[in-house]
Amino acid sequence: MAGKIYTAGLVVIGDEILSGRTHDKNIAQIASWLQVQGIRLAEVRVVPDVEGRIVEAVNALRAANDYLFTTGGIGPTHDDITVDAIAAALGVPVVIHPDARAILERYYADKPGGLTDARLRMARVPQGGELIPNRMSGAPGIKVGKLFIMAGVPHITAGMLEALTGTLEGGAPLLSETIGCWTAESEVADLLREVEKAHPECQIGSYPFFRKGRVGANFVVRSTEADQLAACVDALCAALGEEGMDFTPGGI
Amino acid sequence: MAGKIYTAGLVVIGDEILSGRTHDKNIAQIASWLQVQGIRLAEVRVVPDVEGRIVEAVNALRAANDYLFTTGGIGPTHDDITVDAIAAALGVPVVIHPDARAILERYYADKPGGLTDARLRMARVPQGGELIPNRMSGAPGIKVGKLFIMAGVPHITAGMLEALTGTLEGGAPLLSETIGCWTAESEVADLLREVEKAHPECQIGSYPFFRKGRVGANFVVRSTEADQLAACVDALCAALGEEGMDFTPGGI
């Protein structure tokens, strides 16, 4: 019997993603990390660097999910407005976090200009925020309740995720097994539907590809229940075998 | 004087993106293509293969934008529910498109099983839908008014975009110029803010990087007005020069 399903929303903040200039890597990285924590990524919204749009997306997704992540917009420049937008969404003021200020004071002590106002922007957090350390760079992320404010630069976000690993309450992780098959999806559409119907605790996704001049598809069976998953995979392999299909457990 | 700004929303449909299994490539591809058409991508939502969630996202983004694109979920298998969800969102029935049926009849005429019910699913469109041809594969996309239903597989969507090129009414394309600089963002945060403020028709985005052991940033100036853009770029280069910065027009 499956327990509570934990879900997360993700708001990707950045004109550079919406203009096509930067290819987002955070969706896939956060999605994969959440799976391991037993949390499902339920929705992603990509919004521009506009406070009202960020507030709207943050409020919609935090109301609907156990956790909310954001990426982008936490640097020192004028287009970094994530902290202000999230404070507005939460209805709290922005404050300087003393530990973040201390980190920046040390870092800029021997640099020209010292800790300027622009640099001090990076110590700002929504009131109640705690720092998420990361060993990839000095800049911390911010945790405010169930809300996690991460960097836009993927390897910095990777460091923050590493610091958070194992600290979020999750449910049973979603397990999956893949079966690859050299067939057009349409050949096995009825078979897939029937096998899924007979295993109500499992979902089957079908992902077609075209490789080496041949069409094929990977069938991904997902479930939080290991025994149900195994039964569904066995039934699918048996059904493909009966049809004389050329299939490969583990995927192609 | 800038004219009307045309906007588009994008709904990416697919459990495989939310699980982290597949790295989305359609957001960047559609964003870049829209820029050239003079249309801004205003928001993206990634939702699972669940009809109610697709309907909600489609209705929210089509109400807020001139155009709406979707990717994913238009194949022949049971998890391909995009056409049904969009028909539900539009409040119209699903019908078999005669041209799509004819294409499939020809394609499957000499194949075992012929045009099965599963295969015929690929000829289904929301009532009023027209086909978007593509030369990359037989499977067409679907246009229903201002709504464009595209494939999940990126190279197939590329073919559909090619067929649509130049057919959507757009505004002045958003122009951009990039200036790269070997500096920490925080060194020039005030300078960027002031230059942007002095050029109200322009936005400046700052995108930091860490390469070859050094920190740097690319500053992207965007405007629909070529002369304003040039003036802002000139002002930014002059200001960076006054500060003795090592900068490179065109970006690093």
Side-chain angles (χ1 to χ4, degrees):
Chain A
M1 178 54 210
K4 170 174 163 61
I5 293 173
Y6 289 80
T7 66
L10 168 61
V11 180
V12 173
I13 298 161
D15 289 345
E16 73 278 21
I17 308 291
L18 291 172
S19 73
R21 183 180 182 278
T22 302
H23 289 226
D24 170 78
K25 291 182 181 140
N26 283 320
I27 296 174
Q29 143 168 291
I30 291 175
S32 302
W33 180 86
L34 284 169
Q35 289 263 31
V36 179
Q37 316 304 310
I39 299 165
R40 288 190 202 177
L41 183 56
E43 184 168 338
V44 181
R45 295 193 187 180
V46 187
V47 297
D49 299 333
V50 174
E51 182 167 309
R53 303 286 305 283
I54 301 170
V55 169
E56 188 191 337
V58 164
N59 279 337
L61 294 193
R62 77 188 175 98
N65 295 288
D66 298 299
Y67 301 103
L68 178 69
F69 288 73
T70 70
T71 61
I74 62 169
T77 55
H78 65 283
D79 59 340
D80 291 310
I81 61 169
T82 298
V83 167
D84 302 83
I86 289 178
L90 298 177
V92 300
V94 172
V95 299
I96 299 285
H97 193 289
D99 295 350
R101 178 199 273 269
I103 292 169
L104 293 171
E105 273 170 350
R106 276 197 302 277
Y107 186 80
Y108 287 112
D110 57 352
K111 300 210 166 50
L115 184 53
T116 59
D117 283 354
R119 288 162 174 169
L120 195 57
R121 276 180 67 81
M122 291 187 285
R124 298 162 78 246
V125 302
Q127 194 173 60
E130 302 160 46
L131 304 185
I132 305 168
N134 88 84
R135 58 182 185 77
M136 312 297 281
S137 85
I142 304 164
K143 173 186 186 306
V144 202
K146 64 176 194 175
L147 205 151
F148 299 85
I149 305 173
M150 323 289 278
V153 179
H155 82 268
I156 298 181
T157 286
M160 295 173 182
L161 291 173
E162 196 180 297
L164 288 176
T165 296
T167 67
L168 275 65
E169 183 173 4
L174 191 63
L175 308 171
S176 72
E177 272 197 53
T178 302
I179 298 158
C181 192
W182 290 105
T183 180
E185 279 190 306
S186 63
E187 295 272 333
V188 292
D190 292 337
L191 181 161
L192 292 175
R193 188 194 312 267
E194 281 155 25
V195 172
E196 190 189 64
K197 208 170 167 189
H199 297 85
E201 299 280 331
C202 302
Q203 299 88 43
I204 306 179
S206 173
Y207 307 107
F209 58 77
F210 180 72
R211 259 179 244 163
K212 303 174 188 167
R214 294 171 73 191
V215 296
N218 280 304
F219 310 124
V220 180
V221 186
R222 301 188 180 92
S223 182
T224 55
E225 305 297 306
D227 51 349
Q228 298 281 335
L229 179 68
C232 185
V233 168
D234 288 349
L236 182 53
C237 289
L240 291 170
E242 271 169 37
E243 297 285 325
M245 294 283 168
D246 175 11
F247 67 94
T248 308
I252 297 172
Chain B
M1 177 51 211
K4 169 174 164 61
I5 293 172
Y6 289 78
T7 66
L10 168 61
V11 179
V12 174
I13 298 160
D15 289 345
E16 72 278 21
I17 308 292
L18 292 171
S19 72
R21 182 180 183 276
T22 301
H23 289 226
D24 171 78
K25 290 181 181 139
N26 283 320
I27 296 174
Q29 147 167 289
I30 291 174
S32 302
W33 180 86
L34 285 169
Q35 290 263 32
V36 179
Q37 316 305 309
I39 299 165
R40 287 192 202 174
L41 183 57
E43 182 168 338
V44 181
R45 296 193 186 178
V46 187
V47 297
D49 300 331
V50 174
E51 182 167 309
R53 304 286 304 284
I54 301 170
V55 169
E56 189 190 337
V58 164
N59 279 336
L61 294 192
R62 77 190 176 98
N65 296 287
D66 298 300
Y67 302 104
L68 177 69
F69 286 73
T70 71
T71 60
I74 61 168
T77 55
H78 65 283
D79 58 339
D80 291 310
I81 60 170
T82 297
V83 167
D84 301 83
I86 289 177
L90 298 177
V92 301
V94 173
V95 298
I96 299 287
H97 193 290
D99 295 351
R101 177 200 273 268
I103 291 168
L104 293 171
E105 274 171 352
R106 276 196 300 278
Y107 186 80
Y108 287 112
D110 57 351
K111 299 208 169 48
L115 184 52
T116 59
D117 282 354
R119 288 164 174 167
L120 195 58
R121 275 180 68 81
M122 291 187 284
R124 298 163 79 246
V125 302
Q127 193 171 62
E130 301 159 48
L131 304 185
I132 305 169
N134 88 84
R135 56 181 186 77
M136 313 297 280
S137 84
I142 303 163
K143 172 184 186 306
V144 201
K146 65 178 195 174
L147 207 151
F148 300 85
I149 305 173
M150 321 289 277
V153 178
H155 82 268
I156 297 181
T157 285
M160 294 173 182
L161 291 173
E162 198 181 297
L164 288 175
T165 296
T167 68
L168 275 66
E169 183 172 2
L174 191 64
L175 308 171
S176 72
E177 273 198 51
T178 302
I179 299 158
C181 191
W182 290 106
T183 180
E185 278 189 307
S186 63
E187 295 272 332
V188 292
D190 292 339
L191 181 160
L192 292 175
R193 188 193 313 269
E194 282 155 25
V195 173
E196 190 189 64
K197 207 171 167 188
H199 297 84
E201 299 279 332
C202 301
Q203 299 89 45
I204 307 180
S206 172
Y207 306 107
F209 57 78
F210 180 71
R211 259 179 245 164
K212 302 175 189 168
R214 296 171 73 193
V215 294
N218 281 304
F219 310 125
V220 180
V221 187
R222 299 186 183 96
S223 182
T224 55
E225 305 298 305
D227 51 348
Q228 298 280 334
L229 178 69
C232 185
V233 167
D234 288 350
L236 181 54
C237 289
L240 291 170
E242 272 170 34
E243 296 286 326
M245 293 284 168
D246 175 11
F247 68 94
T248 307
I252 296 170

